Amino acid sequence: MAPFSSKTKSPFTKSDNLLFDPALIPASIQESLPAGYVVRPLARSDNQVRSNSSFLKTLEVLTTVGTISDEAFQRRFQYLKEHSDQYYTIVIEDMNVPPTSAGSATSSSPSLVTPGRGKIVAAGTVLAERKFIHELGMVGHIEDIAVSADQQGKKLGLRIIETLKAIGQQVGCYKVILDCSEKNVPFYEKCGFERKGVEMGWYV
Ligand code: ACO
C-alpha cells in the first residue's frame, strides 16, 4: 500500500469517551472534508436518541439495526474499548447542525471538538485480525460502511474508506479487505480496491 501522510493531527484528543486514539486519523483526511464536518473515533456518547442523528440511526441505511437500549450500547462500546487495538469504528459528524434541546447537543461548551454536538452522517469500521500466517501478520476487515441517505454523493464514503485504510496501515495490517454487493463494486474501485476471490456466507 502507498504510505499515507504521517501528519496525524486531529481536532480531537485521546479520551475515555473515544473508542481509540484520534491521532490515528490523518489530518489530511480531516482537511479534505466539507467545512464543519469532522471525522473521529466512535464516542460513548454517540447513542443519542435525537431523531436521525445517532450512530445507530446512521447504520439503518445499511441494514436492520433493531432496538438497542442505552445500557446495551454502553456494554458493547465498553467491550470494543477493551479491545481497542482491534476495533476501529469511526464516524463523520456534521457540526453545522444547530444544537437542539435533546441529547448532549446541549453541551455548555459547544466547541467544534465536542463529540455529539452535531449530527452523525457517516460511519465505518476496520477490524484488525491477528493471524499466525505471514509471520503473525494482521489483516484489516472493513465492515458496516454507511452514509446517511441525504449526505451521499459528497465523498463522505470515500473519506471513511480512506480513513479506515490509513488506520489499518498504521496499526500494521499487510492488507485491508471487504465484502460488498455487486452494486457497490464501482464505489470501492474508486476507493482503490480491486476484485479478489469470492465471498461465501452461511447464515444460522
Ligand atoms: N456506483 C458507482 N459509483 C459510485 C457509487 C455507486 N453505487 N457510489 C459511489 N460512487 C462513486 C461516486 O460517484 C464517487 O465517484 P467520483 O469520485 O468519480 O465522483 C466515488 O464513488 C465516491 O463516492 P462518495 O460520494 O464517497 O460515496 P457516498 O458518500 O455516497 O458513499 C456508499 C457510498 C457508502 C456506498 C453510500 O452510498 C451508502 O452508505 N450506501 C448504503 C449502505 C451501503 O451500501 N454501504 C456499503 C456496504 S458494504 C460494506 O459495508 C463493506
Side-chain angles (χ1 to χ4, degrees):
M1 274 189 277
F4 283 89
S5 162
S6 58
K7 205 175 139 201
T8 54
K9 191 164 60 66
S10 164
F12 297 93
T13 53
K14 195 175 174 180
S15 81
D16 186 53
N17 187 33
L18 296 178
L19 184 58
F20 62 90
D21 186 350
L24 279 173
I25 298 176
S28 55
I29 297 176
Q30 174 59 56
E31 285 158 12
S32 65
L33 289 174
Y37 285 58
V38 292
V39 56
R40 61 168 172 80
L42 182 69
R44 268 182 215 284
S45 52
D46 282 337
N47 188 32
Q48 297 172 16
V49 289
R50 295 168 62 212
S51 62
N52 299 319
S53 67
S54 80
F55 166 65
L56 297 176
K57 193 81 190 165
T58 303
L59 292 181
E60 284 178 2
V61 75
L62 185 65
T63 189
T64 309
V65 176
T67 306
I68 297 173
S69 67
D70 186 55
E71 189 196 355
F73 179 88
Q74 295 305 326
R75 267 203 312 275
R76 177 55 51 91
F77 184 93
Q78 188 56 31
Y79 178 90
L80 301 188
K81 179 89 178 163
E82 285 164 10
H83 301 81
S84 62
D85 58 350
Q86 285 178 52
Y87 291 97
Y88 301 90
T89 297
I90 59 167
V91 297
I92 293 178
E93 187 171 355
D94 175 5
M95 294 296 196
N96 299 304
V97 177
T100 70
S101 57
S104 67
T106 54
S107 165
S108 56
S109 58
S111 127
L112 194 71
V113 294
T114 304
R117 188 179 75 79
K119 176 176 175 176
I120 292 176
V121 293
T125 294
V126 62
L127 169 63
E129 176 205 3
R130 283 156 174 78
K131 295 175 119 25
F132 282 101
I133 61 169
H134 293 300
E135 297 183 75
L136 305 179
M138 274 170 53
V139 171
H141 297 265
I142 285 185
E143 293 285 343
D144 299 347
I145 305 303
V147 177
S148 299
D150 64 344
Q151 300 276 335
Q152 291 176 9
K154 296 181 177 181
K155 303 254 191 287
L156 301 183
L158 175 67
R159 302 305 173 219
I160 288 277
I161 298 298
E162 285 176 340
T163 306
L164 297 176
K165 285 165 68 181
I167 291 170
Q169 187 172 12
Q170 287 182 83
V171 303
C173 295
Y174 69 90
K175 67 176 178 181
V176 175
I177 59 177
L178 59 86
D179 291 331
C180 72
S181 63
E182 194 63 35
K183 79 174 169 54
N184 283 329
V185 168
F187 165 69
Y188 287 112
E189 286 176 339
K190 290 266 166 79
C191 295
F193 286 77
E194 56 188 73
R195 285 180 191 265
K196 290 275 178 189
V198 176
E199 177 194 345
M200 310 273 290
W202 181 76
Y203 288 77
V204 178

